[in-house]
Amino acid sequence: MGKKTKYIFITGGVMSGLGKGILTVSIGKLLQAQNYSLAPLKIDPYLNIDAGTMNPIEHGEVFVLDDGGEVDMDLGNYERFLEMTLTRKNNLTTGKIYKHVIDKERKGDYLGKTVQIIPHITCAIQEHIKKIGKDKDFVLIEVGGTVGDIESIPFLEAARELSVTEDVCFVHLVLVPTLDVVGEQKTKPAQHSVRSLGDIGIRPNMVVCRCKDPLTDRTKRKISLFCNVKEEDVISDHDANIYELPLILKDQQIAEKIIDCFGMKHNGSELDEWQTFVDGLKDTDKKITIAMTGKYTQLHDSYVSINEALNHARSRYNCEIEMKFIETTDIEEKKIDIKTALNDVDALIVPGGFGSRGTEGKIECIRYARENSIPFLGLCLGFQLACVEFARNVCNLKDAASTEINPDTKNPIIDIMAAQKNIDSKGATMRLGAWPAILKKGSLAEKLYGKKEISERHRHRYEVNNDYISELEKNGLVFSGKSPDQKLMEFLELNSHPYFIATQAHPELKSKPLNPHPLFLGLVDAAINKKYK
Ligand code: GLN
């Protein structure tokens, strides 16, 4: 007989943005530390089939998985904290579930029945949850949105129905604000939120309170009394770096309490390595400045995986990083000159992106980094623009461009991939997911990865035009990683520069706190060398 899987639902109340995803993975991390297996599931109550068509300003970064799933950026934190490789099945949206049910209806699978939200949608949700939990001790389900939203109702109803037949624990996250004038933690929003959950028929086993300072005993007593939970099941989730939450929750024995809900056994837990990582973020003895170009640079969520990959790397070096965001249209419009933008930075990142806005400014930044020995890391679009810059300024092909930016260029250094030419629909149609690359012997890429065969995740439609490879190579550009059939350029580097490397892939998506990505470690190391040696 297989394991009897237990289900933990994490719901949120009062308002969005309280850190439900971080709470979910912190609980997951602690259950893993107790030697239990789990499958996480993020539910997004929107009608998009997946996050692939969503604008990063609106919804944050689109995270890409090995299987090519374009998913909510919370899945990035799931993979980072839980050190798991997830699949598109770990992200469920209203769009996916409705499509599944409607496709079944069209096939006649419902045998003439009236197809309804209850029971057909709610059953389909439960089936999905059970399927991903097969052979696992726990399924951790984060219900996106806020209790009280119309959109979340079918998912909460499915959770309630599941709790009738299965072993389920409900953890509800609320905001406990402190009003500056009185300096007192206020519990009323939490009370209302737990009451709304009660209206749906769900009584939380545990109330986690997002607050500025640790929850006082008085606040805990009040929440316990009004929200129908034991005082010890009121948990403080006070402001801290996201990576500290597992440690904060460990001190309050949240995993043990959840395990007790199910009458299972405690296996002890140890987070020493995680603690070392968190200490490395705080105990810093150096500080570097890294410039990052882009359209959405003012928004942390749009480049969250890059910011986190830098955190993972900097902890290893006990190094603080100041990010300097460069709106490259300002360079194009001569609002700032390139020297002012980059002369005080220790490294430059040109991240992925789409469309032409700001690309000329990015190309200027790459040129400045190349000519002034500033450590440079180019990611996806950053890789493509590094080729264009080299073609223009070293190979003297003055009008070199990507056809994404200038479709009429005489020198299309970067061109649409053959397989992409006739695609005009947007969802899940790019070159997506994990693809292998073979690294050149003796290259910087091979040295950094410490191996020859690697795999990275992709999300793009354009590629290096093979007609120009010999011209670029002749002038000193090294394509240090290629697809196994040698047709697709995956990495480039320059021998004459302390650290100039770029990849068609998105390595930031695979960096983990306890396993920082080599390209980011290399960049931080090179930046420290530039500043301190
Ligand atoms: N716009 C470029 C392409 O589609 C790069 C994409 C990216 O940076 N993710 O190829």
Side-chain angles (χ1 to χ4, degrees):
M1 210 179 84
K3 280 181 180 159
K4 175 131 171 57
T5 306
K6 322 280 178 195
Y7 302 89
I8 304 164
F9 283 91
I10 288 94
T11 56
V14 184
M15 63 181 219
S16 62
L18 295 182
K20 217 173 334 133
I22 300 296
L23 171 64
T24 305
V25 287
S26 298
I27 291 174
K29 180 114 209 110
L30 291 166
L31 290 170
Q32 283 178 330
Q34 294 265 352
N35 266 321
Y36 285 113
S37 63
L38 58 90
L41 175 66
K42 168 83 200 280
I43 289 176
D44 284 307
Y46 46 68
L47 280 166
N48 306 59
I49 299 285
D50 60 40
T53 53
M54 294 168 110
N55 182 330
I57 292 190
E58 184 130 329
H59 197 71
E61 158 188 286
V62 177
F63 196 78
V64 182
L65 301 170
D66 270 4
D67 71 355
E70 296 173 284
V71 292
D72 185 84
M73 64 168 193
D74 270 340
L75 276 266
N77 282 326
Y78 285 23
E79 287 201 336
R80 288 187 277 269
F81 277 65
L82 302 174
E83 288 168 82
M84 295 173 85
T85 299
L86 302 176
T87 74
R88 65 183 86 220
K89 291 203 170 68
N90 297 94
N91 192 190
L92 188 60
T93 67
T94 300
K96 261 188 211 168
I97 217 77
Y98 273 69
K99 185 169 186 306
H100 170 77
V101 170
I102 291 168
D103 286 349
K104 272 177 74 173
E105 185 275 333
R106 291 288 82 184
K107 278 203 294 185
D109 286 1
Y110 292 108
L111 305 172
K113 285 249 169 12
T114 308
V115 182
Q116 295 177 297
I117 294 175
I118 301 170
H120 300 98
I121 294 287
T122 52
C123 277
I125 297 168
Q126 290 180 64
E127 273 165 25
H128 186 94
I129 293 172
K130 285 185 181 166
K131 219 181 271 168
I132 75 153
K134 199 165 174 294
D135 298 326
K136 300 278 193 253
D137 295 307
F138 294 104
V139 187
L140 264 176
I141 307 121
E142 176 190 351
V143 185
T146 307
V147 170
D149 294 349
I150 292 175
E151 283 90 346
S152 331
I153 291 174
F155 295 106
L156 293 171
E157 169 61 16
R160 186 197 64 76
E161 288 172 14
L162 194 77
S163 73
V164 178
T165 52
E166 303 291 332
D167 296 329
V168 174
C169 170
F170 289 100
V171 177
H172 190 53
L173 174 66
V174 291
L175 176 71
V176 174
T178 303
L179 285 186
D180 280 347
V181 256
V182 272
E184 186 192 344
Q185 293 177 330
K186 305 303 275 181
T187 65
K188 196 66 84 184
Q191 294 178 35
H192 282 297
S193 174
V194 171
R195 199 164 303 149
S196 305
L197 202 56
D199 290 345
I200 306 166
I202 295 174
R203 193 180 139 189
N205 300 75
M206 210 168 279
V207 174
V208 178
C209 303
R210 181 65 203 275
C211 41
K212 194 162 168 287
D213 299 310
L215 221 53
T216 64
D217 288 344
R218 184 166 172 270
T219 312
K220 281 190 187 170
R221 268 197 301 280
K222 259 180 116 170
I223 291 181
S224 160
L225 183 68
F226 291 114
C227 298
N228 254 327
V229 283
K230 284 189 237 136
E231 216 172 296
E232 63 263 31
D233 292 335
V234 181
I235 308 284
S236 178
D237 171 359
H238 39 273
D239 285 357
N241 178 304
I242 57 168
Y243 296 111
E244 282 182 76
L245 192 58
L247 304 167
I248 291 174
L249 297 180
K250 183 175 186 292
D251 286 345
Q252 299 175 78
Q253 302 200 307
I254 196 167
E256 288 80 355
K257 287 169 188 172
I258 289 173
I259 290 168
D260 287 345
C261 279
F262 298 115
M264 295 160 85
K265 70 175 198 321
H266 302 179
N267 295 322
S269 67
E270 179 273 303
L271 285 185
D272 291 357
E273 264 189 281
W274 196 263
Q275 179 76 59
T276 307
F277 163 69
V278 170
D279 291 344
L281 294 174
K282 292 202 279 193
D283 305 337
T284 54
D285 54 15
K286 317 171 213 32
K287 184 173 177 180
I288 53 170
T289 305
I290 299 187
M292 185 152 84
T293 63
K295 290 198 271 199
Y296 318 122
T297 42
Q298 67 283 18
L299 291 164
H300 174 270
D301 279 1
S302 307
Y303 296 107
V304 63
S305 292
I306 295 177
N307 291 325
E308 296 314 331
L310 286 171
N311 276 327
H312 308 158
R314 79 177 181 85
S315 164
R316 282 282 172 96
Y317 291 97
N318 296 83
C319 180
E320 204 178 313
I321 298 180
E322 184 180 322
M323 293 303 286
K324 179 171 182 183
F325 294 117
I326 299 183
E327 173 62 63
T328 46
T329 49
D330 288 349
I331 293 172
E332 295 169 5
E333 291 160 14
K334 310 237 177 305
K335 285 190 197 149
I336 44 166
D337 75 10
I338 191 78
K339 220 169 154 210
T340 318
L342 294 181
N343 75 348
D344 59 347
V345 309
D346 305 307
L348 169 71
I349 296 178
V350 177
F354 294 84
S356 61
R357 209 186 117 226
T359 46
E360 289 302 322
K362 290 179 191 175
I363 292 170
E364 271 196 64
C365 288
I366 298 171
R367 177 181 190 161
Y368 190 89
R370 181 176 56 77
E371 291 179 345
N372 294 284
S373 299
I374 297 175
F376 164 73
L377 177 61
L379 308 167
C380 204
L381 180 68
F383 163 88
Q384 297 174 354
L385 296 180
C387 288
V388 172
E389 189 280 319
F390 194 84
R392 281 187 192 175
N393 301 319
V394 181
C395 306
N396 234 339
L397 299 167
K398 288 293 168 211
D399 68 341
S402 160
T403 50
E404 182 182 13
I405 297 158
N406 175 9
D408 303 320
T409 176
K410 297 237 164 40
N411 284 301
I413 300 292
I414 306 294
D415 201 4
I416 187 105
M417 305 176 81
Q420 290 284 329
K421 276 196 179 128
N422 298 319
I423 295 175
D424 48 20
S425 78
K426 289 274 189 259
T429 54
M430 285 186 241
R431 179 175 180 246
L432 289 167
W435 292 91
I438 310 296
L439 303 179
K440 192 174 172 155
K441 205 161 182 295
S443 64
L444 173 65
E446 190 206 39
K447 200 174 107 214
L448 290 165
Y449 279 90
K451 55 185 174 183
K452 214 169 149 241
E453 286 185 46
I454 59 120
S455 166
E456 291 288 2
R457 295 175 181 176
H458 293 68
R459 183 171 189 255
H460 65 121
R461 292 186 205 283
Y462 292 78
E463 63 174 330
V464 176
N465 182 344
N466 289 3
D467 295 347
Y468 288 90
I469 290 171
S470 64
E471 180 69 12
L472 293 164
E473 285 182 334
K474 210 168 66 200
N475 284 282
L477 192 68
V478 179
F479 285 108
S480 52
K482 299 182 183 178
S483 57
D485 64 5
Q486 300 288 298
K487 288 198 177 131
L488 238 145
M489 301 304 109
E490 294 280 13
F491 285 79
L492 66 78
E493 58 193 70
L494 284 176
N495 290 333
S496 53
H497 190 285
Y499 193 88
F500 190 100
I501 190 161
T503 171
Q504 183 59 77
H506 286 279
E508 69 276 17
L509 302 176
K510 292 205 350 184
S511 184
K512 308 271 189 300
L514 304 185
N515 193 11
H517 195 286
L519 294 183
F520 286 86
L521 281 173
L523 184 76
V524 171
D525 185 41
I528 293 172
N529 278 333
K530 176 178 180 297
K531 180 158 179 187
Y532 292 95
K533 290 191 184 136

